[in-house]
Amino acid sequence: MTESVKFKDMPYERPDLEAVKAEYARLAAALADAETPEAAEAAFLEKDQLDRHTQTAAELAMIRHVIDTRDEFYDAEASFWDEAQPELQQAADAFTAALLSSPFRAQLEEKYGTLLFAQAEQERRTIDPAIVGDMKRENALAQEYVKLIASAQIPFEGGTYTLSQLTPFKKSADDAQRLAAWKAEGLWYKEHQADFDRIYDELTHVRDAMGKKLGYKDYLPLGYDRMGRLSYGREDVERFREAVRTYVVPLADKIYRAQGSRLGVEYPLSFADEALSFRSGN
C-alpha cells in the first residue's frame, strides 16, 4: 500500500520552463515520427506524465498562494505561473497537432476513447501565439482579484474578520446582528469598488480582444471552448435559461414567500433576511 502524503508535506519545486518546453518539442517530434502504434502510444503516455508533473507543481503553488497571499515565496511562484502557463500551453500545441494528425489515431481512439481527440481539437481552438500576452495579463488580473478578496479585514462587533469569517454573522438568527454583518461586508466592497470595477473592466476588454484575435465576433465562442464544453453550447444555455425562468422562478418565488412568512418578515426578502432560512438558525 502506498503511504499517503499530507498536503503540507508535498514537495514543491519550480520547473525549468525552457527544459519543459524542450520536452514538449521532443515529444511532439517523437509522436510525429512514430512508425508504430506502440511508439505513438509511448510518446502520448510520456507527455501525459510531463503534464501531470508540471500541473501538480502549478496547483501546489496556486493553492498555497491562496491559503496565504502574504507568503512572499508563493506570491512569487504564483506570478511565475501566471506567465509560464500560457507559454507552456503554446509549447504543447505542437504535440496536440501531432496527436490529431497521427496515422495511429484510430488505434489510440480505440484504447483511450474519442473524447480525448474531441478535447484536443477544442484545445487547439483556444491557443494561438497572438493571444499568449493577453492570457498572461488575464492571469495577472485574476490573481489581483484573489489577493484583493483575501486582503479583506472587516471590523465588526469589536473584532476583525475576513470575508469567510464574517459568514456566520451574516446567517445569525438575530436580525440586527445579521443586517449589521451584511452592511459591514458591503462597506468593505464599497471602499474597494474602484479596484473591483477596474479589474472587471480590464478583464472584459482583454477577453474580448482574445476572441477577436482568434476571428470571433466576441469572447463567447472562445469562452465556451475554454470551459471544455463539448456536449452543449450557447443555444442550449439559452434554452436552459428560458426553462429556469418558466419553471424554476415560480417555484423559487413560492419558497421565498414561505420563508418570509416563516420568519415573520415582509416579502420580497431583504438580502439579509434571505440568508436566514429558519428562526432557529440555518
Side-chain angles (χ1 to χ4, degrees), residues 160-218:
T160 303
Y161 302 91
T162 65
L163 290 168
S164 296
Q165 290 170 337
L166 198 64
T167 299
F169 299 109
K170 291 163 57 185
K171 296 182 179 181
S172 170
D174 183 290
D175 291 347
Q177 184 183 57
R178 188 173 67 256
L179 179 60
W182 278 93
K183 287 184 175 180
E185 180 184 85
L187 179 61
W188 181 84
Y189 276 106
K190 188 67 177 176
E191 290 171 346
H192 296 83
Q193 179 178 343
D195 289 324
F196 282 112
D197 286 350
R198 175 185 53 78
I199 293 170
Y200 184 86
D201 181 70
E202 191 170 345
L203 268 174
T204 299
H205 283 88
V206 166
R207 288 171 174 165
D208 183 65
M210 289 165 65
K212 289 175 178 175
K213 287 178 182 178
L214 294 185
Y216 300 119
K217 177 183 176 182
D218 51 33

Side-chain angles (χ1 to χ4, degrees), residues 216-237:
Y216 300 119
K217 177 183 176 182
D218 51 33
Y219 176 71
L220 287 176
L222 175 59
Y224 275 88
D225 277 338
R226 294 177 91 195
M227 286 187 283
R229 294 178 173 175
L230 287 168
S231 58
Y232 66 99
R234 183 175 180 177
E235 295 78 12
D236 300 292
V237 171

Side-chain angles (χ1 to χ4, degrees), residues 41-145:
E41 182 180 17
F44 167 74
L45 292 175
E46 194 173 348
K47 193 264 187 180
D48 180 65
Q49 287 300 312
L50 178 61
D51 286 343
R52 290 170 186 244
H53 176 73
T54 55
Q55 196 57 39
T56 295
E59 293 298 335
L60 278 173
M62 291 302 180
I63 293 171
R64 287 171 177 167
H65 171 60
V66 171
I67 288 173
D68 184 0
T69 56
R70 299 165 299 179
D71 186 308
E72 293 183 1
F73 176 80
Y74 282 110
D75 182 49
E77 292 309 294
S79 297
F80 164 78
W81 284 106
D82 285 344
E83 293 278 324
Q85 287 191 310
E87 292 185 23
L88 291 176
Q89 286 179 259
Q90 182 60 51
D93 185 58
F95 184 92
T96 307
L99 179 67
L100 290 170
S101 61
S102 172
F104 307 110
R105 176 170 172 168
Q107 291 93 323
L108 291 170
E109 282 185 333
E110 183 177 358
K111 187 166 186 178
Y112 295 103
T114 58
L115 177 61
L116 169 71
F117 290 87
Q119 290 173 326
E121 289 168 351
Q122 184 181 57
E123 183 179 342
R124 292 214 73 206
R125 295 196 296 269
T126 68
I127 186 66
D128 187 277
I131 66 169
V132 169
D134 294 314
M135 293 169 68
K136 291 181 179 182
R137 183 57 187 155
E138 178 189 35
N139 287 344
L141 287 165
Q143 281 302 314
E144 186 179 356
Y145 172 82

